């Protein structure tokens, strides 16, 4: 049975005939928009950046030839995901023969328009060329690792993040029995993440999926996996929530769900947002869509580790929705004449209202493995600002006999090439598992050093590590030194 939000694997509907007048009006509107003086908070990207986030979109190579769409994308977005060009069928259509031309075109478009790139994707059961299914099971791991290594090495330094494993879950929270699972069991995910990390140690590595936006069986399955990957020190850095919504059906647990993944020490992102409406869309549905977009943006702003929101496309005339969900459409923030809809105003207003900017999102200028300050609330466990680094511990969860904590490590006024955080437990506490750092323990004294991928912090940038521990929750005094 097709779940309501199942993104099917059909090519999307492409060319839509528009009247010449509409096209001319649209181009004129965009031209006027571009001619206006750039003002902070007047575009999604400017407003998102002011809140320490990005606002992204997805474009295919075909979209790059559509001037009005491209102008709008360049004006409004600062993150770009290739719609199809980095998928396995595009990049390794036959075994060992790689083609990065189309993906490179998307990357150079992004670079020439000041956009960063979300790489999408390295391992997915769909858009997988048939030859992979014919590989002997005992060779699948080698084939997968070679694919990941070759592609991630090709794009090393050019992608901010990779969707390393895409859509691995069934609706009931079990892993799909695809060729990768059949060959390696659930280990394929850790193997894939390690291969990607070895090829591009600075890229943020994500698992990305749909129908995991609310707390449900599918997101619970992913949560357990994420928890265990983090506890084992596997280089998983983020979770992508695709967010292919139906109007009026944004899950009420979206924020809480993203927060629980963030509490594991992971970044979270809305990666493929759209909000489809049964056509024709009436004005109350378009208003409701505005409410939905506002909710999604606000949920991201409320979770300090939510790094940004990406819409899957730009305008209603070029969205994948009508081609896959016949009878549905109008899912984007701009209509098919490139006019902004209530959803655009709502997203912009959400970004422009509110007071704080508690983002853990890396800024465009910072290293992908570090994050600017998340302005942690002052806590007795903070070390003084002004030294090489400071560290703040907060308890994120506790239960009888145990607790979970997150430590934010922030560089002082100069960059650091490594950090060491130390403390002494006051009452017999002991760490049971720790992630995003390496620990050594001597009696009640704990020393945590950076992991291989989060030691370098630009001036003022921060990163986090976390742990679960036995005993009563405590926030001892921390010292932070570099290295
Ligand atoms: O937008 C993509 C569309 O052009 C392709 O035909 C389709 C085929 O699977 O994939 C679309 O992108 C998907 C993305 O890669 C993963 N999540 C669901 C997206 C919509 O189907």
């Amino acid at each position: 049975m097709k779940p309501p939000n199942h993104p099917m694997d059909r090519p999307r509907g492409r060319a839509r005939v528009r009247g010449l007048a509409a096209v001319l009006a649209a181009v004129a509107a965009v031209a006027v928009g571009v001619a206006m003086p750039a003002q902070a908070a007047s575009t999604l990207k400017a407003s998102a950046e002011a809140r320490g986030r990005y606002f992204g979109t997805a474009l295919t190579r075909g979209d790059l030839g559509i001037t009005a769409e491209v102008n709008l994308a360049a004006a409004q977005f600062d993150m770009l995901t290739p719609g199809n060009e980095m998928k396995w069928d595009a990049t390794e259509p036959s075994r060992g023969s790689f083609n990065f031309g189309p993906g490179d075109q998307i990357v150079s478009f992004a670079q020439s328009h000041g956009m960063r790139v979300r790489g999408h994707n390295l391992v997915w059961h769909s858009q997988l060329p048939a030859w992979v299914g014919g590989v002997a099971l005992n060779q699948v791991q080698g084939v997968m690792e070679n694919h990941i290594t070759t592609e991630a090495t090709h794009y090393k330094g050019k992608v901010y993040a990779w969707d390393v494993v895409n859509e691995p879950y069934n609706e009931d929270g079990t892993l799909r029995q695809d060729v990768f699972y059949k060959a390696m069991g659930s280990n394929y995910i850790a193997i894939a993440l390690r291969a990607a990390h070895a090829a591009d140690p600075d890229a943020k590595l994500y698992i990305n999926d749909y129908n995991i936006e609310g707390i449900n069986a599918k997101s619970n399955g992913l949560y357990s996996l994420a928890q265990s990957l983090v506890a084992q020190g596997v280089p998983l850095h983020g979770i992508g929530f695709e967010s292919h919504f139906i109007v009026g059906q944004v899950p009420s647990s979206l924020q809480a769900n993203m927060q629980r993944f963030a509490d594991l020490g992971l970044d979270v992102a809305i990666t493929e947002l759209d909000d489809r409406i049964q056509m024709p869309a009436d004005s109350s549905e378009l208003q409701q869509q505005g409410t939905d977009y506002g909710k999604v943006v606000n949920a991201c702003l409320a979770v300090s580790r939510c790094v940004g929101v990406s819409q899957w496309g730009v305008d209603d005339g070029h969205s994948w929705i009508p081609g896959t969900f016949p009878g549905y459409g109008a899912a984007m923030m701009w209509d098919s004449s490139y006019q902004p809809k209530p959803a655009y105003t709502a997203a912009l207003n959400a970004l422009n209202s509110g007071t704080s900017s508690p983002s853990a999102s890396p800024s465009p200028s910072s290293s992908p493995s570090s994050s600017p300050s998340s302005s942690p609330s002052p806590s007795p466990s903070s070390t003084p600002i002004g030294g090489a680094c400071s560290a703040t511990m907060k308890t994120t969860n506790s239960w009888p006999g145990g607790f979970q904590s997150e430590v934010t490590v922030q560089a002082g006024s100069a960059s650091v090439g490594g950090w060491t955080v130390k403390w002494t437990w006051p009452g017999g506490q002991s760490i049971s598992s720790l992630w995003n750092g390496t620990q050594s323990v001597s009696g009640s004294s704990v020393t945590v050093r950076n992991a291989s991928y989060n030691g370098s912090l630009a001036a003022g940038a921060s990163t986090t590590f976390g742990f679960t521990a036995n005993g009563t929750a405590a926030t001892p005094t921390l010292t932070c030194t570099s290295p």
Side-chain angles (χ1 to χ4, degrees), residues 7 10-12 84 87 120 124 127 167 242 272 312 320:
R10 291 169 37 186
R12 71 190 203 180
N84 289 312
K87 295 172 182 175
H120 176 81
W124 188 22
Q127 290 183 273
E167 302 180 356
E242 290 188 12
E272 303 184 12
W312 200 248
W320 70 293

Side-chain angles (χ1 to χ4, degrees), residues 28-330:
V30 171
V32 168
V34 170
M36 278 166 42
Q39 276 177 1
S42 63
T43 60
L44 294 175
K45 65 179 179 185
S47 299
E49 284 165 18
R51 304 296 298 271
R53 268 78 174 178
Y54 62 78
F55 217 115
T57 186
L59 292 175
T60 62
R61 201 161 48 133
D63 293 321
L64 297 185
I66 303 168
T67 308
E69 184 183 8
V70 157
N71 286 348
L72 190 47
Q76 291 287 341
F77 298 108
D78 57 4
M79 184 69 78
L80 184 59
T81 307
N84 289 312
E85 291 69 10
M86 291 187 186
K87 295 172 182 175
W88 198 315
D89 60 355
T91 53
E92 193 185 3
S94 58
R95 187 168 177 171
S97 151
F98 287 86
N99 177 15
F100 295 117
D104 291 352
Q105 274 184 261
I106 303 279
V107 170
S108 56
F109 174 84
Q111 288 175 339
S112 61
H113 292 88
M115 302 160 111
R116 290 182 291 164
V117 175
R118 292 196 82 260
H120 176 81
N121 55 58
L122 293 170
V123 178
W124 188 22
H125 71 93
S126 181
Q127 290 183 273
L128 187 65
W131 67 264
V132 181
V135 170
L137 281 188
N138 65 3
Q139 291 181 28
V140 171
Q141 179 175 339
V143 161
M144 182 186 84
E145 288 175 323
N146 183 53
H147 179 78
I148 293 170
T149 303
T150 307
E151 181 158 5
T153 301
H154 178 83
Y155 288 112
K156 181 170 161 24
K158 296 183 175 162
V159 298
Y160 156 71
W162 268 113
D163 289 330
V164 176
V165 180
N166 199 46
E167 302 180 356
Y169 274 94
N170 293 311
E171 296 304 296
D172 65 0
T174 59
L175 285 167
R176 286 178 196 268
Q177 311 266 306
D178 60 17
V179 62
F180 307 108
Y181 184 91
K182 284 188 182 130
M184 292 163 269
S186 58
N187 281 340
Y188 87 85
I189 296 182
I191 294 169
L193 289 161
R194 288 195 172 106
H197 187 58
D200 188 353
D202 288 334
K204 295 274 191 186
L205 305 183
Y206 277 66
I207 299 174
N208 185 55
D209 215 327
Y210 63 92
N211 285 354
I212 56 157
E213 295 78 16
I215 296 178
N216 56 34
K218 192 171 184 178
S219 64
N220 286 344
L222 175 58
Y223 182 76
S224 303
L225 174 76
Q227 208 169 22
S228 99
L229 291 173
V230 165
Q232 294 167 64
V234 174
L236 171 68
H237 309 129
I239 302 293
F241 300 83
E242 290 188 12
S243 304
H244 295 292
F245 293 131
I246 298 172
V247 73
Q249 296 184 27
V250 175
S252 55
S253 54
L254 174 64
Q255 182 184 321
N257 190 40
M258 288 200 292
Q259 186 64 57
R260 71 174 170 155
F261 283 94
D263 288 344
L264 295 176
L266 298 171
D267 286 350
V268 295
I270 303 286
T271 51
E272 303 184 12
L273 178 61
D274 45 37
D275 196 30
R276 61 185 180 271
I277 301 176
Q278 193 145 29
M279 299 302 281
D282 67 27
S283 68
S284 73
E285 288 165 322
L286 292 172
Q287 290 302 327
Q288 177 63 48
Q289 185 178 61
T291 305
D292 291 356
Y293 267 79
K295 269 188 200 165
V296 173
V297 171
N298 279 323
C300 181
L301 292 172
V303 176
S304 65
R305 293 203 67 136
C306 182
V307 294
V309 176
S310 296
Q311 178 178 260
W312 200 248
V314 179
D315 63 287
D316 288 337
H318 301 94
S319 157
W320 70 293
I321 291 289
T324 299
F325 298 100
Y328 282 83

Side-chain angles (χ1 to χ4, degrees), residues 47 50-53 301-302 304 350-359 374-375:
S47 299
R51 304 296 298 271
R53 268 78 174 178
L301 292 172
S304 65
L351 292 167
N352 289 342
S353 56
T355 48
S356 65
S357 179
S359 169
S374 58
S375 314

Side-chain angles (χ1 to χ4, degrees), residues 332-409:
M332 302 279 98
M333 287 181 281
W334 288 270
D335 68 18
S336 53
S337 301
Y338 307 102
Q339 296 305 305
K341 295 157 62 182
Y344 169 73
T345 312
L348 195 61
N349 286 346
L351 292 167
N352 289 342
S353 56
T355 48
S356 65
S357 179
S359 169
S361 159
S363 70
S365 56
S366 72
S367 143
S369 61
S370 65
S371 307
S373 168
S374 58
S375 314
S377 51
S379 130
S381 70
S382 245
T383 53
I385 306 282
C389 57
S390 61
T392 308
M393 184 184 292
K394 71 174 181 195
T395 307
T396 54
N397 201 358
S398 65
W399 52 89
F403 62 100
Q404 182 172 330
S405 300
E406 183 176 276
V407 177
T408 300
V409 181

